[in-house]
Structure formats: C-alpha cells, structure tokens
Amino acid sequence: MEKLNLLSFLCIIVLFLRVTRSLTTSLRDYDTFLECLQSHTSSSDQVSNIVYAQTNASYTSILEAFVRNSRFNTPSTPKPLLIITPFSEHQVQATVVCAKSVGLQLRIRSGGHDFEGASYVSQVPFVILDMFNFQNVTVDIQNEVAVIQSGASLGQVYYRIWEKSEVHGFAAGACPTIGVGGHLSGGGYGSMIRKYGLSVDHVIDAKIVDVKGRILDKKAMGEDLFWTIKGGGGASFGVILSYTVKLVQVPEKVTVFKVDNTLEQNATDLVFEWQHVAPHTDDRLFMRMTLQPVISEGNKTIRASIKALFLGGANELVTLLEKEFPLLRLKKETCKEMRWIDSVLWLMNDNHGSSLEVLLDRSRYSKYFNKIKSDYVQTPISKDGLKWIWKKMIELGNTQLIFIPYGGKMNEVPSDATPFPHRAGNLYKIQYNVSWQEPGAVAEKNLMDQIRKLYSYMTLFVSKNPRRAFLNYRDLDIGINSHGEDNYEDGKVFGVKYFDKNFQRLVKVKTAIDPENFFWNEQSMPTLPAIKQQVENITDKRKIGYFN
Ligand SMILES: Cc1cc2nc3c(=O)[nH]c(=O)nc-3n(C[C@H](O)[C@H](O)[C@H](O)COP(=O)(O)OP(=O)(O)OC[C@H]3O[C@@H](n4cnc5c(N)ncnc54)[C@H](O)[C@@H]3O)c2cc1C
Ligand SMILES: *[C@@H]1O[C@H](CO)[C@@H](O)[C@H](O)[C@H]1NC(C)=O
Ligand SMILES: *[C@@H]1O[C@H](CO)[C@@H](O)[C@H](O)[C@H]1NC(C)=O
Ligand SMILES: *[C@@H]1O[C@H](CO)[C@@H](O)[C@H](O)[C@H]1NC(C)=O
Ligand SMILES: *[C@@H]1O[C@H](CO)[C@@H](O)[C@H](O)[C@H]1NC(C)=O
Ligand SMILES: *[C@@H]1O[C@H](CO)[C@@H](O)[C@H](O)[C@H]1NC(C)=O
Ligand SMILES: *[C@@H]1O[C@H](CO)[C@@H](O)[C@H](O)[C@H]1NC(C)=O
C-alpha cells in the first residue's frame, strides 16, 4: 500500500516536472520566436498579435478550428509549440526566416483537411504557420480570372465567383470547407473533372515564399518551381500565398440525379456497365459511384449509389443515358435542374434548400475519425471480380468505396504537364473510406485493419508498377520519410506512387530550391543530399542512376 502511494506520488512529481518543463520551454520558444519576428518586421507590424503560445487561452480553439480529422485530436497527439497566424505577406516571410533560424520545424496549414494531419501534427518540436487570415478572393469576370489566397476555402471561391457571374465557376473539390493552399498544391479535382480536368490545369500564376523568405511569382520562380506547385504538394517547396486561376464557364442550368441500387436490384450488372460508360461518355457528365455494405430488408447486401452532375439540361441527359446506359433506367422525374451554384450544395449533402451563405461558413463541418486510401483502375473489373469484392466488403462490414470516373479532359492533358501523373489510361480512381464517431482504441484498430485488408484484396484489380495513389488522399501506409533528412530511398517509395515518372523532376526542383530540406514532412519530396553537389555538375545524370 505504502509502496503504491510512494509510486503515485513520484508519478505526480514527474508529471508536474514535465508539465512545468514543457511550459517553460514553450515560453522560452515564444520569447525567442517573437524577438526574431520583431527583428524581421517593422514595429507597425504588431507581430505580438500573431503568436499563440501553449499557455495562451485561445491556443486550443485556434488549433482545433482547422483540425478536420478527430484521429489527430487526442490527448496523445503531439501539439505545436506555437501557432503563428500572419495577416500580411511580410509576416509570412518573417515566420519562415525565424522558424529556420530558431531551428523549429514548420507545418503549413490552410484548410486543415489533410487526411493524415500533415499540416498540424509532427513528431519533432514544431510550429504551425496557419494561413487562415489569407482569405481574399478577387474575381475579374472580364478576364475570367481570380486571385485566390491560400487560406480561402473552396466554398468562398465558389461564392465569390457566383456573386459576380452565374455562368462562371471553378473546377475544384466538393467539400466547401477545403482550403485552397492544400487542395490546389495537391492536384484538386471535383465534379467537373471530366469537362475541365483538375484545378491545377487552370492555374496561370502563383505567389510563394521560399526558404530564404523571398516572395516569388511565376516569373521570379521560373518554370520548374511553378510546375511543381501545380500538384507536387506545396509543403515541400515553400509557403503558397496565392494562386491566380482561370475561371471556367458553366451553363445557366445544370442537372443532377441520384440513383441507388442494391445487389438484389442488379447492382453488379450496373457497376459493371458503369465502368464502360462513366469514363467514356459525354465529358459534361460526371457520375460518381459510392459502394457500401448495408442491411436491406434483413439481408446484408451492397448498395451502389450514383450521384451525378450534368452540365446541361435534363431532357438531353435522359436521352443520352437511354442510349448509353439503358440499365440505369434514368427517368426525367429523378433529375433535378438547378443553377450550378446550387449543385455545389446538392453534391455536398443533398440539401439544396439551404441558403448559399453556408458556402462561407467554415465551421460547418461534422468532425469524425477517418482513414482514407486510394487506387486507380485501368482495366474494367469483371462481374466475378465485383462479386468477390462485394463478398469481402460484406465480411469486413464498415468500409466504403467511391469510384470517381476519369476520361474526357483528363485524357487530353499530358501526364507530365503537371506533377499529377494519372491521366490517359486511368478509367477511374477509387477512394477507400472508413469513418467513425466515437474514440476507442479497439474500434480504431478494427476499422484501420478493415480498410487495409480491403486495400490488399484489391491488389488484383488496380494499377501496378507503380500501384498509383492520389496525393490529396494522403496515406502514410504507402511510405514515409523515416530517416529525417537523407531520405531519397524512402521518398521514392511513396513519391513514385503519387507522381510516377514526374518524381524525378520534383526531386530535382526540391534539391535546387530547398537543398537543406527545411520544408520537411513525412511525405515531403526528398533532396539528393549525398550526391547533391555532383548533380549540379553532372551532364549525363543517367550515369549516377538519377533517372533510373
Ligand atoms: C471531407 C473531405 C473531402 C475532400 N474532397 C476532396 C475532393 O473532392 N477533391 C480533392 O481533390 N480532394 C478532396 N479532399 C482532399 C483535400 O483536397 C486535401 O486534403 C487537401 O490537401 C486539403 O487542403 P487544406 O488546405 O484543407 O489542407 P491542409 O491540411 O491545410 O494542407 C494539406 C497539405 O498541404 C500543405 N499546405 C497547406 N497550405 C499550404 C500553403 N499555403 N503552402 C504550402 N503548403 C500548404 C500542408 O502543409 C499539408 O501538407 C477532401 C478532404 C476531405 C477531408
Ligand atoms: C493570446 O495570443 C494572442 C496572439 O498573439 C494575443 O493577441 C493575446 O493577447 C494573447 N492572450 C493572452 C491572454 O495572452
Ligand atoms: C485582404 O484584402 C483587404 C482589402 O483589400 C486587405 O485590407 C487585407 O490586407 C487583405 N488580406 C491579406 C491577408 O492580404
Ligand atoms: C435483374 O436482372 C434479371 C435478369 O436479367 C431481370 O430478370 C430482373 O428483372 C432484374 N431486376 C431488376 C430489379 O432490375
Ligand atoms: C433476402 O434474402 C432471402 C434469402 O436469400 C431472399 O429470399 C429475399 O428475396 C431477400 N430479400 C430481399 C429484399 O432481397
Ligand atoms: C466517409 O464515409 C462517411 C460515412 O458514410 C461519410 O460521412 C464521409 O463523408 C465519407 N468521407 C469522405 C471523405 O468521403
Ligand atoms: C562543380 O563545378 C565547379 C565549376 O567547374 C567547381 O568549382 C566545383 O568544385 C564543382 N563541384 C563539385 C562538387 O565537383
């Protein structure tokens, strides 16, 4: 008994010492950082308003405001020593320079939707550079151009465009709270992907703060770096301040529909056919398919839900699908015609009665725990293959698959036009999704196991050498930079999956722009430190296996 008491007493002492030590360290970091910021800005900059120490009463709410995955919001999740929230470009420059000179790792956050928390979690002492004050979206309809700051949300982008024109939009993701900084730098796609390709296919300029704290636009950064931040992941290269994009035209009326079928309603035939129609049909039509195990009238089955957007009218759509996809038996009554901006809300949650202002509301996000993975399908899966997948999904119980059709514009853009390589030859992308509401280690392990098993079962049916993955669906299972600095071999593992043949060019740009690898995270681009010096002098890089 006494022993136990002594033990708990000691524990409390140790805990107390740890807490006080981390608080004093935090305060010391705070002072050092603030001093550095002050010396790199003018007194009118008031940098004392942009640094949140762990002891600050607002620290937790600032941190949690843009944590979008509860898996990274637990007591054991490592927390930043400081959160820096600049209001000006100048303050961003100073933040980069100071993080470097103080020797703290920097994580850059725009919307916080990273599926692995890369923008706000690190295993070493770090600070967050939070871009949420950079929300300006300046729309110029005459020239069909917008300048979008990286901390703006997609909802803000859509809303600001709609304020000026109902027949313009932008090609980007469905979830309106996603941040521009992560979304565009990671490739960014949405329901107009077949008509207009990726967000980055419309980027015409950008502003970035590099490791030396310089602000560079397209002209100053040069073609290589500009290419890189169109899908190569911003966080490996610098802090993106803004993107300048070309708007796209949308019709006055678009059409949406949703159709559900279970296996008993011949979903297998439907999914099989979908693979032959969705990636090849009129590029104005996007038919996303969600597959999940459900219980229907007491039977365990799979439900296949098609949710679609057509950039045209309902009559034209029904005629088109009668011809190309008769199995769907789409009726005019199932279709809804609406403005493009309303389809954004509809695709997000079926609920297009809400006012458009919800697009501006960044707190409107239901948080849950989740794990995501991705794959690409290049050959249609046979009916027997599909039936086997259904069996496995029903056995597992909680995993969801979403098929995202490619084709159209995606086939026309060369695979090296941007770092995003998954263009012609890819019929559709698969998103694996498992999510849950309650914390709990047992449930978490079970669900994480489920999604990993399903991923492994799917090996037969998906792309190989490399097995491709989508950077914006970040998945640390496919490889991490485990050795800190000199990590070329580690980086190659996930780098080739995300970027295929574009990996080499990304490494080359990374090595040139950030040779000391300051902009680091678990899946940042590696540099070539060992042969860095030689690379600059070597004319035939093949000799050193640089392009193997
Ligand atoms: C509910 C949900 C729906 C989604 N739907 C889609 C979809 O339809 N289409 C799609 O393509 N993706 C989708 N995604 C994925 C999403 O696009 C990516 O997670 C994207 O990276 C999020 O950007 P963010 O700014 O919100 O994230 P953050 O977590 O802030 O950032 C993501 C990554 O980018 C880096 N980064 C952020 N800002 C900057 C910057 N200013 N400069 C340099 N680096 C920066 C971060 O450090 C981090 O590595 C979805 C994600 C969620 C959670
Ligand atoms: C918390 O930090 C912010 C940002 O630096 C600052 O403006 C505020 O005064 C701080 N609050 C307290 C109670 O120290
Ligand atoms: C956003 O625009 C406003 C109005 O022009 C300006 O005052 C503000 O500084 C801008 N914010 C940033 C972060 O650039
Ligand atoms: C499913 O397919 C069978 C065989 O082709 C057909 O007889 C049946 O009517 C279909 N059921 C539904 C709900 O479409
Ligand atoms: C449920 O399964 C039983 C047995 O296989 C089958 O007879 C029945 O038709 C199924 N019910 C539905 C709604 O599909
Ligand atoms: C994952 O599935 C859950 C449950 O069906 C859903 O609420 C969530 O939106 C899905 N997440 C993504 C990123 O698709
Ligand atoms: C690279 O070439 C330059 C100029 O010829 C030379 O000065 C330098 O030493 C070379 N560096 C290495 C590592 O060989």
Side-chain angles (χ1 to χ4, degrees):
M1 194 60 188
E2 256 181 26
K3 225 178 180 178
L4 205 73
N5 279 337
L6 186 65
L7 207 67
S8 29
F9 178 71
L10 283 177
C11 281
I12 287 167
I13 293 279
V14 168
L15 204 70
F16 177 76
L17 287 178
R18 259 209 211 157
V19 170
T20 14
R21 209 190 60 198
S22 86
L23 287 184
T24 28
T25 326
S26 169
L27 286 177
R28 206 185 55 218
D29 289 326
Y30 176 81
D31 290 340
T32 318
F33 212 96
L34 192 57
E35 240 169 67
C36 177
L37 284 179
Q38 273 157 349
S39 75
H40 284 90
T41 49
S42 66
S43 55
S44 63
D45 256 312
Q46 296 198 317
V47 282
S48 63
N49 292 337
I50 65 164
V51 186
Y52 292 83
Q54 289 181 340
T55 46
N56 188 294
S58 306
Y59 171 89
T60 302
S61 61
I62 295 271
L63 176 64
E64 290 182 355
F66 297 102
V67 170
R68 303 302 196 176
N69 187 346
S70 304
R71 205 149 57 84
F72 305 104
N73 195 21
T74 71
S76 62
T77 308
K79 305 290 189 295
L81 295 170
L82 305 168
I83 306 170
I84 328 285
T85 61
F87 285 96
S88 69
E89 295 182 343
H90 199 52
Q91 293 172 346
V92 176
Q93 294 175 282
T95 304
V96 170
V97 169
C98 292
K100 190 156 182 270
S101 73
V102 171
L104 286 171
Q105 196 183 84
L106 190 70
R107 292 296 167 123
I108 311 157
R109 184 163 77 170
S110 286
H113 286 61
D114 195 283
F115 284 120
E116 299 279 13
S119 55
Y120 55 89
V121 182
S122 175
Q123 303 303 322
V124 302
F126 72 110
V127 300
I128 294 179
L129 166 55
D130 203 318
M131 297 297 288
F132 71 77
N133 290 318
F134 280 68
Q135 297 191 12
N136 288 341
V137 179
T138 315
V139 179
D140 170 0
I141 289 294
Q142 246 78 58
N143 294 304
E144 302 186 302
V145 164
V147 180
I148 306 170
Q149 289 189 328
S150 57
S153 68
L154 295 182
Q156 289 174 320
V157 174
Y158 300 144
Y159 188 90
R160 296 293 168 223
I161 296 171
W162 173 80
E163 276 183 324
K164 296 249 167 105
S165 162
E166 294 200 7
V167 291
H168 286 86
F170 185 59
C175 171
T177 51
I178 293 176
V180 164
H183 189 68
L184 267 64
S185 66
Y189 84 92
S191 48
M192 296 199 286
I193 183 173
R194 303 193 62 255
K195 171 75 177 163
Y196 289 121
L198 304 176
S199 305
V200 289
D201 298 334
H202 305 272
V203 168
I204 55 172
D205 206 337
K207 248 197 216 174
I208 180 170
V209 174
D210 75 355
V211 69
K212 295 182 181 146
R214 297 175 301 186
I215 294 183
L216 309 173
D217 65 2
K218 178 182 173 184
K219 190 150 168 271
M221 76 179 89
E223 278 304 323
D224 269 346
L225 182 54
F226 183 59
W227 174 85
T228 297
I229 56 172
K230 293 190 290 182
S236 299
F237 303 96
V239 182
I240 289 148
L241 296 169
S242 66
Y243 281 106
T244 305
V245 302
K246 235 11 215 177
L247 305 180
V248 302
Q249 294 186 355
V250 296
E252 266 167 42
K253 283 262 177 296
V254 303
T255 306
V256 298
F257 71 84
K258 182 168 187 281
V259 173
D260 288 349
N261 282 285
T262 59
L263 296 181
E264 291 71 24
Q265 296 162 319
N266 294 344
T268 305
D269 293 344
L270 198 77
V271 177
F272 180 76
E273 270 306 296
W274 176 94
Q275 299 177 100
H276 296 270
V277 180
H280 305 289
T281 184
D282 190 314
D283 60 12
R284 292 171 299 161
L285 175 58
F286 174 78
M287 294 190 282
R288 189 177 78 160
M289 166 109 76
T290 303
L291 300 154
Q292 67 186 112
V294 292
I295 295 182
S296 165
E297 297 177 35
N299 292 348
K300 285 186 180 171
T301 184
I302 295 288
R303 187 178 63 212
S305 311
I306 295 180
K307 220 171 163 181
L309 169 70
F310 179 61
L311 299 168
N315 287 331
E316 194 187 353
L317 176 62
V318 170
T319 312
L320 175 76
L321 287 179
E322 260 167 17
K323 189 167 128 253
E324 295 192 358
F325 200 5
L327 267 185
L328 187 65
R329 295 196 210 131
L330 182 68
K331 303 265 175 323
K332 175 104 190 273
E333 306 83 78
T334 315
C335 300
K336 290 193 181 85
E337 287 185 330
M338 56 182 69
R339 299 175 301 182
W340 178 78
I341 192 76
D342 292 317
S343 77
V344 173
L345 291 185
W346 184 88
L347 284 164
M348 147 192 160
N349 61 6
D350 287 26
N351 155 24
H352 86 289
S354 339
S355 92
L356 291 179
E357 274 66 34
V358 302
L359 291 171
L360 302 175
D361 183 356
R362 306 190 64 158
S363 64
R364 203 165 178 277
Y365 186 91
S366 37
K367 269 184 208 176
Y368 41 78
F369 298 76
N370 73 4
K371 172 71 188 169
I372 301 286
K373 300 175 83 64
S374 60
D375 256 321
Y376 282 87
V377 174
Q378 299 175 326
T379 325
I381 303 174
S382 69
K383 285 188 193 174
D384 284 343
L386 291 172
K387 286 179 192 157
W388 187 76
I389 296 169
W390 309 153
K391 187 168 156 271
K392 294 296 178 190
M393 286 177 76
I394 291 171
E395 271 169 31
L396 292 169
N398 299 88
T399 46
Q400 191 185 72
L401 297 180
I402 304 177
F403 291 1
I404 295 122
Y406 274 36
K409 177 77 188 272
M410 293 301 278
N411 287 349
E412 290 159 24
V413 180
S415 61
D416 61 357
T418 69
F420 178 97
H422 319 297
R423 304 281 187 164
N426 294 284
L427 294 174
Y428 56 99
K429 173 173 65 195
I430 299 181
Q431 184 196 79
Y432 299 68
N433 170 9
V434 62
S435 66
W436 62 102
Q437 297 284 347
E438 299 294 330
V442 177
E444 173 157 338
K445 183 174 182 312
N446 167 27
L447 294 165
M448 298 285 275
D449 279 354
Q450 281 194 28
I451 193 170
R452 288 171 179 149
K453 275 188 188 152
L454 185 59
Y455 183 78
S456 140
Y457 297 147
M458 293 296 288
T459 310
L460 268 176
F461 306 111
V462 299
S463 63
K464 297 171 187 51
N465 305 316
R467 183 170 183 173
R468 292 159 180 266
F470 178 37
L471 177 65
N472 262 352
Y473 293 171
R474 190 189 306 287
D475 175 7
L476 296 187
D477 294 352
I478 65 169
I480 56 167
N481 286 321
S482 47
H483 305 305
E485 303 283 305
D486 297 342
N487 48 29
Y488 179 75
E489 287 307 320
D490 290 335
K492 204 169 156 184
V493 175
F494 58 85
V496 168
K497 289 177 184 295
Y498 287 141
F499 305 114
D500 196 18
K501 295 195 174 64
N502 294 328
F503 173 66
Q504 279 86 355
R505 185 170 174 196
L506 288 167
V507 171
K508 192 176 134 211
V509 182
K510 167 73 179 179
T511 306
I513 179 148
D514 181 22
E516 289 170 33
N517 209 356
F518 169 70
F519 288 109
W520 188 91
N521 63 55
E522 291 72 18
Q523 286 187 337
S524 57
M525 275 303 100
T527 56
L528 283 169
I531 48 175
K532 179 180 80 192
Q533 298 277 303
Q534 296 167 32
V535 164
E536 284 155 18
N537 284 5
I538 279 174
T539 44
D540 185 2
K541 295 185 172 104
R542 270 167 234 281
K543 279 190 189 141
I544 54 166
Y546 187 63
F547 286 120
N548 62 4

